[in-house]
Amino acid sequence: EAGVTQFPSHSVIEKGQTVTLRCDPISGHDNLYWYRRVMGKEIKFLLHFVKESKQDESGMPNNRFLAERTGGTYSTLKVQPAELEDSGVYFCASSGHLSYGYTFGSGTRLTVV
Amino acid sequence: QKEVEQNSGPLSVPEGAIASLNCTYSDRGSQSFFWYRQYSGKSPELIMSIYSNGDKEDGRFTAQLNKASQYVSLLIRDSQPSDSATYLCAVITSSNTGKLIFGQGTTLQVKP
């Protein structure tokens, strides 16, 4: 079974540019999550999809962040325009059940310069 | 007060010893508790889950949960250098939406 796939693995962009991160969850997993870890801080929740619907987006920092999951399969997270404080590692995770621990992707390390 | 708290360490133990990692949480209604292991530059990997009070053993790992004290721990027996990593405690709170609240993680160093 393929795991959760994220790309790119690394992205370096200039402040003000746009970046789109992609996540392919484990096939059949309805629940898809985005998390972020900024340096020195704990991993923090961004949002949760159930199929194509946003179940909880309480962790999204501001309206520069836009997440989509068209068709309930892969998801994208767009940051536009990027700011320096957006730098960090963005993890995607998927789960077949709400209460069970889920599988994380390898993450995208975003650096905004 | 943070929702999930861990001592950041580093916790250093000799090879073969028992490593004890601790975590406290603030939401008394929390139902699901997880321990993830994260090697440097890698993604978190689920190693243990626990849902009810008491101990749960899986190989060299034992998770312990005490809901009255709002405390969850992870014991690693016969620690190996390959166990050196950051251990993340994560909790699904009473909202039960599946959202994980993470502690900051404890760095474990197992010395040969």
Side-chain angles (χ1 to χ4, degrees), chain A residues 56-109:
Chain A
D56 181 355
E57 52 185 330
S58 61
M60 295 288 263
N62 50 61
N63 60 10
R64 295 185 294 103
F65 289 75
L66 175 64
E68 295 180 325
R69 191 183 183 193
T70 306
T73 54
Y74 72 90
S75 174
T76 58
L77 179 64
K78 180 191 288 187
V79 185
Q80 178 183 30
E83 299 289 344
L84 298 179
E85 65 264 25
D86 301 333
S87 297
V89 182
Y90 290 76
F91 291 105
C92 175
S94 73
S95 171
H97 190 287
L98 282 182
S99 296
Y100 300 161
Y102 31 77
T103 302
F104 280 84
S106 55
T108 295
R109 181 174 295 278

Side-chain angles (χ1 to χ4, degrees), chain A residues 5-44:
Chain A
T5 305
Q6 291 186 247
F7 53 92
S9 57
H10 294 82
S11 181
V12 181
I13 62 171
E14 293 184 352
K15 176 181 172 181
Q17 289 186 322
T18 297
V19 63
T20 300
L21 314 181
R22 172 167 169 152
C23 169
D24 287 71
I26 292 173
S27 178
H29 279 188
D30 289 339
N31 297 286
L32 185 150
Y33 304 84
W34 284 97
Y35 284 80
R36 177 174 74 170
R37 186 167 200 169
V38 297
M39 189 175 294
K41 302 288 187 180
E42 63 270 23
I43 296 174
K44 287 206 166 179

Side-chain angles (χ1 to χ4, degrees), chain B residues 6-111:
Chain B
Q6 296 180 253
N7 187 324
S8 60
L11 173 66
S12 182
V13 301
E15 183 175 357
I18 296 175
S20 178
L21 304 160
N22 305 313
C23 172
T24 58
Y25 59 94
S26 61
D27 184 344
R28 184 171 290 278
S30 298
Q31 296 296 322
S32 305
F33 307 86
F34 307 92
W35 284 98
Y36 283 82
R37 177 177 62 197
Q38 187 176 25
Y39 293 111
S40 181
K42 302 295 185 181
S43 60
E45 173 194 9
L46 179 66
I47 54 172
M48 289 289 286
S49 59
I50 188 166
Y51 306 98
S52 55
N53 280 328
D55 295 0
K56 179 181 178 183
E57 186 175 319
D58 183 0
R60 295 186 297 110
F61 299 98
T62 299
Q64 299 174 318
L65 174 62
N66 183 327
K67 289 187 177 180
S69 300
Q70 295 175 238
Y71 177 91
V72 58
S73 64
L74 179 71
L75 300 178
I76 306 174
R77 289 182 300 281
D78 189 23
S79 295
Q80 301 297 308
S82 59
D83 295 326
S84 298
T86 296
Y87 289 80
L88 302 166
C89 174
V91 174
I92 294 179
T93 64
S94 54
S95 65
N96 202 28
T97 60
K99 175 172 74 175
L100 284 177
I101 308 297
F102 281 90
Q104 195 158 351
T106 298
T107 299
L108 174 66
Q109 297 174 345
V110 181
K111 298 190 174 180

